[in-house]
Amino acid sequence: MLKQMLEDCDVTSGCKNAPFQQHVYKMQNCIEVLGIETKSLQVENDQIVTGYIVDQSIFLKSLQCGQTNITFTDGVNKASVQLFVRPSGKIVVEVEPI
């Protein structure tokens, strides 16, 4: 179902049949990023989502539907997040060690 929803996305003209609303997804630093105390993050496609770190929280804000990868690092260790933004704007993440 997620695959079909992502296929319905047209990056240049937005998503079909669903009103897109920006959403913010909050992650707890250290806890939800495989024990890494994230100091920086790198978004592969910053047209899909933007991210920022505040205190012990990581915030990801959807900009348009699609998928991208984000790399979190503490300067030594890394974790990768595969992120999907649904046509509605909601964010789904999968965290993996690198």
Coordinates of all heavy atoms in Angstrom, one line a residue:
M1 N 0.8 -1.2 0.0 CA 0.0 0.0 0.0 C 0.9 1.3 0.0 O 0.6 2.2 -0.7 CB -0.9 0.0 1.2 CG -1.9 1.2 1.2 SD -3.1 0.9 2.5 CE -3.8 2.5 2.5
L2 N 1.9 1.3 0.8 CA 2.8 2.4 0.9 C 3.5 2.6 -0.5 O 3.6 3.7 -1.0 CB 3.9 2.3 1.9 CG 4.9 3.4 2.0 CD1 4.2 4.7 2.3 CD2 5.9 3.1 3.1
K3 N 3.9 1.5 -1.1 CA 4.5 1.6 -2.5 C 3.5 2.3 -3.4 O 3.9 3.1 -4.2 CB 4.9 0.2 -3.0 CG 5.5 0.2 -4.3 CD 5.9 -1.2 -4.8 CE 6.6 -1.1 -6.1 NZ 6.9 -2.4 -6.7
Q4 N 2.3 1.9 -3.4 CA 1.3 2.5 -4.3 C 1.1 4.0 -4.0 O 1.0 4.8 -4.9 CB -0.1 1.7 -4.2 CG -1.1 2.3 -5.1 CD -0.8 2.2 -6.6 OE1 -0.3 1.1 -7.0 NE2 -1.0 3.3 -7.4
M5 N 1.1 4.3 -2.8 CA 0.9 5.7 -2.4 C 2.1 6.5 -2.9 O 2.0 7.7 -3.4 CB 0.8 5.9 -0.9 CG -0.6 5.3 -0.4 SD -0.8 5.0 1.3 CE -0.4 6.6 2.1
L6 N 3.3 6.0 -2.8 CA 4.5 6.7 -3.3 C 4.5 6.8 -4.8 O 5.0 7.8 -5.3 CB 5.8 6.0 -2.7 CG 6.0 6.2 -1.2 CD1 7.2 5.3 -0.8 CD2 6.2 7.6 -0.8
E7 N 4.0 5.7 -5.5 CA 4.0 5.8 -6.9 C 3.0 6.8 -7.4 O 3.1 7.4 -8.5 CB 3.6 4.4 -7.5 CG 4.7 3.4 -7.4 CD 4.3 2.0 -7.7 OE1 3.1 1.8 -8.0 OE2 5.2 1.1 -7.8
D8 N 2.0 7.1 -6.6 CA 1.0 8.2 -7.0 C 1.5 9.6 -6.8 O 0.9 10.5 -7.2 CB -0.3 8.0 -6.1 CG -1.1 6.8 -6.5 OD1 -0.9 6.3 -7.6 OD2 -1.9 6.4 -5.7
C9 N 2.7 9.7 -6.3 CA 3.3 11.0 -6.1 C 4.0 11.4 -7.4 O 4.7 10.7 -8.0 CB 4.4 11.0 -5.0 SG 3.7 10.8 -3.3
D10 N 3.8 12.7 -7.7 CA 4.5 13.3 -8.8 C 5.3 14.4 -8.2 O 4.8 15.4 -7.8 CB 3.5 13.8 -9.9 CG 4.2 14.5 -11.1 OD1 5.5 14.6 -11.0 OD2 3.5 14.9 -12.0
V11 N 6.6 14.3 -8.1 CA 7.5 15.2 -7.4 C 7.4 16.6 -8.0 O 7.4 17.6 -7.2 CB 9.0 14.7 -7.5 CG1 9.9 15.8 -6.9 CG2 9.1 13.4 -6.8
T12 N 7.1 16.8 -9.3 CA 7.1 18.1 -9.9 C 5.8 18.8 -9.6 O 5.7 20.0 -9.6 CB 7.4 18.1 -11.4 OG1 6.5 17.2 -12.0 CG2 8.8 17.6 -11.6
S13 N 4.7 18.1 -9.5 CA 3.4 18.7 -9.4 C 2.7 18.4 -8.1 O 1.5 18.7 -7.9 CB 2.5 18.4 -10.6 OG 2.2 17.0 -10.6
G14 N 3.3 17.7 -7.2 CA 2.6 17.3 -5.9 C 2.0 16.0 -6.0 O 2.1 15.3 -7.0
C15 N 1.2 15.6 -5.0 CA 0.5 14.3 -4.9 C -0.9 14.4 -5.4 O -1.6 15.4 -5.2 CB 0.6 13.8 -3.5 SG 2.2 13.5 -2.9
K16 N -1.3 13.3 -6.0 CA -2.7 13.3 -6.5 C -3.6 12.8 -5.4 O -3.3 12.1 -4.6 CB -2.8 12.2 -7.7 CG -1.9 12.4 -8.8 CD -2.0 11.3 -9.8 CE -0.8 11.1 -10.7 NZ -0.9 9.9 -11.5
N17 N -4.8 13.3 -5.5 CA -5.9 12.8 -4.6 C -5.7 12.9 -3.1 O -6.4 12.3 -2.4 CB -6.3 11.4 -5.0 CG -6.6 11.2 -6.5 OD1 -7.2 12.1 -7.1 ND2 -6.2 10.1 -7.0
A18 N -4.8 13.7 -2.7 CA -4.7 13.9 -1.2 C -4.1 15.3 -0.9 O -3.1 15.7 -1.5 CB -3.7 12.8 -0.7
P19 N -4.8 15.9 0.0 CA -4.3 17.3 0.4 C -3.0 17.1 1.2 O -3.0 16.4 2.2 CB -5.4 17.9 1.2 CG -6.2 16.7 1.7 CD -6.0 15.6 0.7
F20 N -1.9 17.7 0.8 CA -0.7 17.5 1.5 C -0.6 18.6 2.7 O -0.9 19.7 2.5 CB 0.5 17.8 0.6 CG 1.8 17.5 1.2 CD1 2.4 16.3 1.3 CD2 2.5 18.6 1.8 CE1 3.6 16.0 1.9 CE2 3.8 18.4 2.5 CZ 4.3 17.1 2.5
Q21 N -0.3 18.1 3.8 CA -0.1 19.0 5.0 C 1.3 18.7 5.6 O 1.6 17.5 5.8 CB -1.2 18.8 6.1 CG -2.5 19.2 5.6 CD -3.5 19.1 6.7 OE1 -3.3 18.4 7.8 NE2 -4.7 19.6 6.5
Q22 N 2.0 19.7 5.9 CA 3.3 19.5 6.5 C 3.1 18.9 7.9 O 2.3 19.3 8.6 CB 4.1 20.8 6.6 CG 4.6 21.3 5.2 CD 5.4 22.5 5.3 OE1 5.3 23.3 6.3 NE2 6.2 22.8 4.3
H23 N 4.0 17.9 8.2 CA 3.9 17.3 9.6 C 5.3 17.3 10.1 O 6.3 17.4 9.4 CB 3.5 15.8 9.5 CG 2.0 15.7 9.2 ND1 1.1 15.5 10.2 CD2 1.3 15.6 8.0 CE1 -0.1 15.4 9.6 NE2 0.0 15.5 8.3
V24 N 5.4 17.3 11.4 CA 6.7 17.2 12.1 C 6.8 15.9 12.9 O 5.9 15.6 13.6 CB 6.9 18.4 13.1 CG1 8.2 18.3 13.9 CG2 6.9 19.8 12.3
Y25 N 7.9 15.2 12.6 CA 8.1 13.9 13.3 C 9.2 14.1 14.3 O 10.3 14.6 14.0 CB 8.5 12.9 12.3 CG 8.7 11.5 12.8 CD1 7.6 10.6 12.8 CD2 9.9 11.0 13.2 CE1 7.8 9.3 13.3 CE2 10.1 9.7 13.7 CZ 9.0 8.9 13.8 OH 9.2 7.6 14.2
K26 N 9.0 13.8 15.6 CA 10.0 14.0 16.6 C 10.6 12.6 17.0 O 9.9 11.7 17.3 CB 9.3 14.6 17.8 CG 10.2 14.9 19.0 CD 9.5 15.5 20.2 CE 10.4 15.7 21.4 NZ 9.6 16.2 22.5
M27 N 11.9 12.6 17.1 CA 12.6 11.5 17.6 C 13.4 11.9 18.8 O 13.9 13.0 18.9 CB 13.6 11.0 16.5 CG 13.0 10.6 15.2 SD 14.2 10.2 14.0 CE 14.7 8.6 14.5
Q28 N 13.6 11.0 19.8 CA 14.4 11.2 20.9 C 15.9 10.9 20.6 O 16.1 9.8 20.2 CB 14.0 10.4 22.1 CG 12.6 10.8 22.7 CD 12.7 12.2 23.2 OE1 13.5 12.6 24.0 NE2 11.7 13.0 22.8
N29 N 16.7 11.9 20.7 CA 18.1 11.6 20.5 C 18.7 10.5 21.4 O 18.2 10.4 22.5 CB 18.9 13.0 20.7 CG 20.2 13.0 19.9 OD1 20.6 12.0 19.3 ND2 20.8 14.2 19.9
C30 N 19.6 9.7 20.9 CA 20.2 8.6 21.6 C 19.2 7.4 21.6 O 19.6 6.3 21.3 CB 20.6 8.9 23.0 SG 22.0 10.0 23.2
I31 N 18.0 7.6 22.0 CA 17.0 6.5 22.2 C 16.6 5.9 20.8 O 16.7 4.7 20.6 CB 15.8 6.9 23.0 CG1 16.3 7.3 24.4 CG2 14.8 5.8 23.1 CD1 15.3 8.0 25.2
E32 N 16.1 6.7 19.9 CA 15.5 6.3 18.7 C 16.6 6.2 17.5 O 16.2 5.9 16.4 CB 14.3 7.1 18.3 CG 13.2 6.9 19.2 CD 12.0 7.8 18.8 OE1 11.3 7.4 17.9 OE2 11.8 8.8 19.5
V33 N 17.8 6.6 17.8 CA 18.8 6.6 16.8 C 19.9 5.6 17.2 O 21.1 5.9 17.1 CB 19.4 8.0 16.6 CG1 20.2 8.1 15.3 CG2 18.2 9.0 16.5
L34 N 19.5 4.4 17.6 CA 20.5 3.3 17.9 C 21.5 3.7 18.9 O 22.7 3.3 18.8 CB 21.1 2.8 16.6 CG 20.1 2.4 15.5 CD1 20.9 2.0 14.2 CD2 19.3 1.2 16.0
G35 N 21.2 4.5 19.9 CA 22.1 4.9 21.0 C 23.1 5.9 20.6 O 24.0 6.3 21.4
I36 N 23.0 6.5 19.4 CA 24.0 7.5 19.0 C 23.4 8.9 19.4 O 22.3 9.2 19.2 CB 24.1 7.5 17.4 CG1 24.7 6.2 16.9 CG2 24.9 8.8 16.9 CD1 24.7 6.1 15.4
E37 N 24.3 9.6 20.1 CA 23.9 11.0 20.5 C 24.2 11.9 19.3 O 25.3 12.4 19.1 CB 24.6 11.5 21.7 CG 24.1 12.9 22.1 CD 24.7 13.3 23.4 OE1 25.4 12.5 24.1 OE2 24.5 14.5 23.8
T38 N 23.2 12.1 18.4 CA 23.4 12.8 17.1 C 23.8 14.2 17.3 O 23.2 15.0 18.1 CB 22.1 12.7 16.3 OG1 21.7 11.4 16.2 CG2 22.2 13.4 15.0
K39 N 24.9 14.5 16.7 CA 25.4 15.9 16.7 C 25.1 16.6 15.4 O 25.0 17.8 15.3 CB 27.0 15.9 16.9 CG 27.4 15.3 18.2 CD 27.1 16.1 19.4 CE 27.7 15.4 20.6 NZ 27.1 15.8 21.8
S40 N 25.0 15.8 14.3 CA 24.6 16.4 13.0 C 23.8 15.4 12.2 O 23.9 14.2 12.4 CB 25.9 16.8 12.2 OG 26.7 15.7 11.9
L41 N 23.1 15.9 11.2 CA 22.4 15.0 10.3 C 22.5 15.5 8.9 O 22.7 16.7 8.7 CB 20.9 14.9 10.7 CG 20.1 16.2 10.9 CD1 19.4 16.5 9.6 CD2 19.0 16.0 12.0
Q42 N 22.4 14.6 8.0 CA 22.6 15.0 6.6 C 21.4 14.4 5.8 O 21.2 13.1 5.8 CB 23.9 14.5 6.0 CG 24.0 14.8 4.5 CD 25.4 14.3 3.9 OE1 26.1 13.7 4.6 NE2 25.6 14.7 2.7
V43 N 20.6 15.2 5.2 CA 19.4 14.8 4.4 C 19.8 14.6 2.9 O 20.4 15.6 2.4 CB 18.3 15.8 4.5 CG1 17.1 15.4 3.7 CG2 17.9 16.0 6.0
E44 N 19.6 13.5 2.4 CA 20.0 13.2 1.0 C 19.2 14.1 0.0 O 19.7 14.6 -0.9 CB 19.7 11.7 0.7 CG 20.2 11.3 -0.7 CD 20.0 9.8 -0.8 OE1 20.8 9.0 -0.3 OE2 19.0 9.4 -1.5
N45 N 17.9 14.2 0.2 CA 17.0 15.0 -0.6 C 16.2 16.0 0.2 O 15.2 15.7 0.8 CB 16.1 14.1 -1.5 CG 15.2 14.9 -2.4 OD1 15.1 16.1 -2.4 ND2 14.6 14.2 -3.4
D46 N 16.7 17.2 0.3 CA 16.1 18.2 1.2 C 14.9 18.9 0.6 O 14.3 19.8 1.2 CB 17.1 19.3 1.7 CG 17.7 20.0 0.5 OD1 17.3 19.8 -0.7 OD2 18.6 20.9 0.8
Q47 N 14.4 18.4 -0.5 CA 13.1 18.8 -1.0 C 12.0 18.0 -0.4 O 10.8 18.4 -0.5 CB 13.1 18.8 -2.5 CG 14.0 19.7 -3.2 CD 14.0 19.6 -4.7 OE1 13.4 18.8 -5.3 NE2 14.8 20.5 -5.3
I48 N 12.3 16.8 0.1 CA 11.3 15.9 0.7 C 11.1 16.3 2.2 O 10.0 16.3 2.7 CB 11.8 14.4 0.6 CG1 12.0 14.1 -0.9 CG2 10.8 13.5 1.3 CD1 10.8 14.1 -1.8
V49 N 12.2 16.5 2.9 CA 12.1 16.7 4.3 C 13.3 17.6 4.8 O 14.3 17.6 4.1 CB 12.1 15.3 5.1 CG1 13.5 14.7 5.1 CG2 11.6 15.5 6.5
T50 N 13.1 18.3 5.9 CA 14.2 19.0 6.5 C 14.3 18.6 7.9 O 13.3 18.1 8.5 CB 13.9 20.6 6.4 OG1 15.1 21.2 6.9 CG2 12.7 21.0 7.2
G51 N 15.5 18.7 8.5 CA 15.7 18.2 9.9 C 16.5 19.1 10.7 O 17.3 19.8 10.2
Y52 N 16.3 19.1 12.0 CA 17.1 19.9 12.9 C 17.1 19.2 14.3 O 16.2 18.4 14.6 CB 16.6 21.3 13.0 CG 15.1 21.5 13.2 CD1 14.6 21.7 14.5 CD2 14.2 21.4 12.2 CE1 13.2 21.8 14.7 CE2 12.8 21.5 12.4 CZ 12.3 21.8 13.7 OH 11.0 21.9 13.9
I53 N 18.1 19.6 15.1 CA 18.3 19.0 16.4 C 18.1 20.1 17.4 O 18.7 21.2 17.3 CB 19.7 18.4 16.5 CG1 19.9 17.3 15.4 CG2 19.9 17.8 17.9 CD1 21.4 16.9 15.3
V54 N 17.3 19.8 18.5 CA 17.1 20.8 19.6 C 17.2 20.0 20.8 O 16.4 19.1 21.1 CB 15.8 21.5 19.5 CG1 15.6 22.4 20.7 CG2 15.6 22.2 18.2
D55 N 18.2 20.3 21.7 CA 18.5 19.6 22.9 C 18.6 18.1 22.7 O 19.4 17.7 21.9 CB 17.4 20.0 24.0 CG 17.4 21.4 24.3 OD1 18.5 22.0 24.4 OD2 16.3 22.0 24.5
Q56 N 17.7 17.3 23.3 CA 17.7 15.9 23.1 C 16.7 15.3 22.1 O 16.3 14.2 22.2 CB 17.6 15.2 24.5 CG 18.8 15.4 25.4 CD 20.0 14.8 24.7 OE1 20.1 13.7 24.3 NE2 21.1 15.6 24.7
S57 N 16.2 16.2 21.2 CA 15.2 15.8 20.3 C 15.7 16.1 18.8 O 16.4 17.1 18.6 CB 13.9 16.6 20.5 OG 13.4 16.3 21.8
I58 N 15.2 15.3 17.9 CA 15.5 15.5 16.5 C 14.1 15.7 15.9 O 13.2 14.9 16.1 CB 16.2 14.2 15.9 CG1 17.5 14.0 16.6 CG2 16.4 14.4 14.4 CD1 18.1 12.6 16.3
F59 N 14.0 16.7 15.1 CA 12.7 17.0 14.4 C 12.9 16.9 12.9 O 13.9 17.4 12.4 CB 12.2 18.4 14.8 CG 11.9 18.6 16.2 CD1 12.9 19.1 17.1 CD2 10.7 18.3 16.7 CE1 12.6 19.3 18.4 CE2 10.4 18.5 18.1 CZ 11.4 19.0 18.9
L60 N 12.0 16.2 12.3 CA 11.9 16.1 10.8 C 10.6 16.6 10.3 O 9.6 16.2 10.8 CB 12.1 14.6 10.4 CG 13.3 13.9 11.0 CD1 13.2 12.4 10.7 CD2 14.6 14.5 10.4
K61 N 10.7 17.6 9.4 CA 9.5 18.2 8.9 C 9.3 17.9 7.4 O 10.2 18.1 6.6 CB 9.6 19.7 9.0 CG 8.4 20.5 8.6 CD 8.5 22.0 8.8 CE 7.3 22.7 8.4 NZ 7.5 24.2 8.6
S62 N 8.1 17.3 7.1 CA 7.8 17.0 5.7 C 7.6 18.2 4.8 O 6.9 19.2 5.3 CB 6.6 16.0 5.6 OG 5.5 16.6 6.2
L63 N 8.1 18.2 3.6 CA 8.0 19.3 2.7 C 7.2 18.9 1.4 O 6.4 19.7 0.9 CB 9.3 19.8 2.2 CG 10.3 20.3 3.4 CD1 11.6 20.7 2.8 CD2 9.6 21.4 4.1
Q64 N 7.3 17.6 1.0 CA 6.5 17.1 -0.1 C 6.6 15.5 0.0 O 7.5 15.0 0.6 CB 7.0 17.6 -1.4 CG 8.3 17.1 -1.9 CD 8.7 17.7 -3.3 OE1 8.2 18.8 -3.6 NE2 9.5 17.0 -4.0
C65 N 5.7 14.9 -0.7 CA 5.7 13.4 -0.6 C 6.9 12.8 -1.4 O 7.4 13.4 -2.3 CB 4.4 12.8 -1.1 SG 4.0 13.1 -2.8
G66 N 7.3 11.6 -1.0 CA 8.5 11.0 -1.6 C 9.3 10.2 -0.6 O 8.8 10.0 0.5
Q67 N 10.5 9.9 -0.9 CA 11.3 9.2 0.0 C 12.8 9.7 -0.1 O 13.2 10.2 -1.1 CB 11.3 7.7 -0.1 CG 12.2 7.1 -1.2 CD 12.1 5.6 -1.3 OE1 11.1 5.1 -1.6 NE2 13.2 4.9 -1.0
T68 N 13.5 9.6 1.0 CA 14.9 10.1 1.1 C 15.6 9.3 2.2 O 14.9 8.6 3.0 CB 15.0 11.6 1.3 OG1 16.3 12.0 1.1 CG2 14.5 12.0 2.7
N69 N 16.9 9.5 2.3 CA 17.7 8.9 3.4 C 18.3 10.0 4.2 O 18.6 11.1 3.6 CB 18.8 8.0 2.8 CG 18.2 6.8 2.1 OD1 17.4 6.1 2.7 ND2 18.6 6.6 0.9
I70 N 18.4 9.8 5.5 CA 19.1 10.7 6.4 C 20.2 10.0 7.1 O 20.0 8.9 7.6 CB 18.1 11.3 7.4 CG1 17.0 12.0 6.6 CG2 18.8 12.3 8.3 CD1 15.8 12.5 7.5
T71 N 21.3 10.6 7.2 CA 22.4 10.0 8.0 C 22.6 10.8 9.3 O 22.8 12.1 9.2 CB 23.8 10.0 7.2 OG1 23.5 9.3 6.0 CG2 24.9 9.4 8.0
F72 N 22.6 10.1 10.4 CA 22.8 10.8 11.7 C 24.2 10.4 12.2 O 24.6 9.2 12.0 CB 21.8 10.3 12.8 CG 20.4 10.6 12.5 CD1 19.6 9.7 11.8 CD2 19.9 11.8 12.8 CE1 18.2 10.0 11.6 CE2 18.6 12.2 12.5 CZ 17.8 11.3 11.9
T73 N 25.0 11.3 12.8 CA 26.3 11.0 13.3 C 26.6 11.7 14.6 O 26.1 12.8 14.8 CB 27.4 11.3 12.2 OG1 28.6 10.9 12.7 CG2 27.4 12.8 11.9
D74 N 27.5 11.1 15.4 CA 27.9 11.7 16.6 C 29.4 12.1 16.4 O 30.1 12.5 17.4 CB 27.8 10.8 17.8 CG 28.6 9.5 17.7 OD1 29.4 9.4 16.7 OD2 28.4 8.7 18.6
G75 N 29.9 12.1 15.2 CA 31.3 12.4 14.9 C 32.1 11.1 14.7 O 33.2 11.1 14.0
V76 N 31.7 10.0 15.2 CA 32.4 8.7 15.1 C 31.4 7.6 14.5 O 31.7 7.0 13.5 CB 32.9 8.2 16.5 CG1 33.5 6.8 16.3 CG2 33.9 9.2 17.0
N77 N 30.3 7.4 15.2 CA 29.3 6.4 14.8 C 28.2 7.1 13.9 O 27.9 8.3 14.0 CB 28.6 5.8 16.0 CG 29.6 5.2 16.9 OD1 30.4 4.3 16.5 ND2 29.7 5.7 18.2
K78 N 27.6 6.2 13.0 CA 26.6 6.7 12.1 C 25.3 5.8 12.2 O 25.5 4.6 12.4 CB 27.1 6.7 10.7 CG 28.1 7.8 10.4 CD 28.5 7.7 9.0 CE 29.6 8.8 8.7 NZ 30.0 8.8 7.3
A79 N 24.2 6.3 11.9 CA 23.0 5.6 11.7 C 22.3 6.2 10.5 O 22.4 7.3 10.2 CB 22.1 5.7 12.9
S80 N 21.6 5.3 9.7 CA 20.9 5.7 8.5 C 19.4 5.6 8.7 O 18.9 4.6 9.3 CB 21.4 4.9 7.4 OG 20.7 5.3 6.2
V81 N 18.7 6.6 8.3 CA 17.2 6.5 8.4 C 16.7 6.6 7.0 O 17.0 7.5 6.2 CB 16.6 7.7 9.2 CG1 15.1 7.8 9.1 CG2 17.0 7.6 10.6
Q82 N 15.8 5.6 6.6 CA 15.1 5.6 5.4 C 13.8 6.2 5.7 O 13.1 5.7 6.6 CB 14.9 4.2 4.8 CG 14.3 4.3 3.4 CD 14.3 2.9 2.7 OE1 14.4 1.9 3.3 NE2 14.2 3.0 1.4
L83 N 13.5 7.3 5.1 CA 12.3 8.1 5.4 C 11.3 8.2 4.2 O 11.7 8.4 3.1 CB 12.7 9.5 5.8 CG 11.7 10.5 6.3 CD1 12.2 11.3 7.4 CD2 11.3 11.4 5.1
F84 N 10.0 8.0 4.5 CA 9.0 8.1 3.5 C 8.0 9.2 4.0 O 7.6 9.2 5.1 CB 8.2 6.7 3.5 CG 9.1 5.6 3.1 CD1 9.6 4.8 4.1 CD2 9.3 5.2 1.8 CE1 10.4 3.7 3.8 CE2 10.1 4.1 1.5 CZ 10.7 3.4 2.5
V85 N 7.7 10.0 3.1 CA 6.6 11.0 3.3 C 5.4 10.6 2.5 O 5.5 10.5 1.3 CB 7.1 12.5 3.0 CG1 5.9 13.4 3.2 CG2 8.3 12.9 3.8
R86 N 4.3 10.3 3.2 CA 3.1 9.9 2.5 C 2.5 11.1 1.8 O 2.7 12.2 2.1 CB 2.2 9.3 3.6 CG 2.7 8.0 4.2 CD 1.7 7.4 5.1 NE 2.2 6.2 5.6 CZ 1.6 5.5 6.6 NH1 0.5 5.9 7.1 NH2 2.1 4.3 7.0
P87 N 1.5 10.8 0.9 CA 0.8 11.9 0.2 C 0.1 12.9 1.2 O 0.0 14.0 0.8 CB -0.1 11.2 -0.7 CG 0.5 9.9 -1.0 CD 1.2 9.5 0.3
S88 N -0.2 12.4 2.3 CA -0.9 13.2 3.3 C 0.1 14.2 4.0 O -0.3 15.1 4.6 CB -1.6 12.4 4.4 OG -0.6 11.7 5.1
G89 N 1.4 13.8 3.9 CA 2.4 14.6 4.6 C 3.0 13.9 5.8 O 4.0 14.3 6.3
K90 N 2.4 12.8 6.3 CA 2.9 12.1 7.4 C 4.2 11.4 7.1 O 4.4 10.9 6.0 CB 1.8 11.1 7.9 CG 0.6 11.8 8.5 CD -0.2 10.9 9.3 CE -1.4 11.7 9.9 NZ -2.1 11.1 10.9
I91 N 5.0 11.3 8.1 CA 6.4 10.7 8.0 C 6.4 9.3 8.6 O 6.0 9.1 9.7 CB 7.4 11.6 8.6 CG1 7.4 13.0 7.9 CG2 8.8 11.0 8.7 CD1 8.2 14.1 8.7
V92 N 7.1 8.4 7.8 CA 7.4 7.1 8.3 C 8.9 6.8 8.2 O 9.5 7.1 7.2 CB 6.6 6.0 7.5 CG1 6.9 4.6 7.9 CG2 5.1 6.3 7.5
V93 N 9.5 6.3 9.3 CA 11.0 6.2 9.3 C 11.4 4.7 9.6 O 10.6 4.0 10.3 CB 11.7 7.1 10.3 CG1 11.4 8.6 9.9 CG2 11.3 6.9 11.7
E94 N 12.5 4.3 9.1 CA 13.2 3.1 9.4 C 14.6 3.4 9.7 O 15.3 3.9 8.9 CB 13.1 2.1 8.2 CG 11.7 1.5 7.9 CD 11.8 0.5 6.8 OE1 12.9 0.0 6.5 OE2 10.7 0.3 6.2
V95 N 15.1 3.1 11.0 CA 16.4 3.4 11.4 C 17.3 2.1 11.2 O 16.9 1.0 11.6 CB 16.5 3.8 12.8 CG1 17.9 4.2 13.3 CG2 15.6 5.1 13.1
E96 N 18.5 2.3 10.6 CA 19.4 1.2 10.4 C 20.8 1.6 10.8 O 21.2 2.7 10.5 CB 19.4 0.7 9.0 CG 18.0 0.3 8.5 CD 18.0 0.0 7.0 OE1 19.1 0.2 6.3 OE2 17.0 -0.4 6.5
P97 N 21.6 0.7 11.4 CA 23.0 1.0 11.6 C 23.8 1.0 10.3 O 23.4 0.4 9.4 CB 23.5 -0.1 12.6 CG 22.6 -1.2 12.3 CD 21.3 -0.6 11.8
I98 N 24.9 1.8 10.3 CA 25.8 1.8 9.1 C 27.0 1.1 9.4 O 27.6 1.2 10.5 CB 26.1 3.3 8.7 CG1 24.9 4.0 8.2 CG2 27.1 3.3 7.6 CD1 25.1 5.4 7.8

